[in-house]
Amino acid sequence: MSIPAQLALAGFDNDNWTELAGPGLTVIEQPVYDIGRTAMKMLLERLEDPARSARKVVLSGRLIARGSTAHNLAADAGPDGAGR
């Protein structure tokens, strides 16, 4: 099986090895520091006020496209989306 010609591959986190894998692995880099900081802040707030209602926090990740995924599938697909 050929990556990315036959199979696109992506993962999470941006560990050092993901750049070195051949081809480089496309990843979603998670804001791990911000996740930890936000979780601790929310825990301290809950300890201070146990009746405080739960809330949802969304932190954005960052796509790092590398060789394990096709970068321009729309252009490669052609006008009918069937591929060339």
Side-chain angles (χ1 to χ4, degrees), residues 44-58:
L44 293 173
E45 289 170 353
R46 181 60 68 94
L47 289 172
E48 185 177 301
D49 180 9
R52 183 184 192 104
S53 60
R55 60 187 171 108
K56 180 179 179 179
V57 175
V58 177

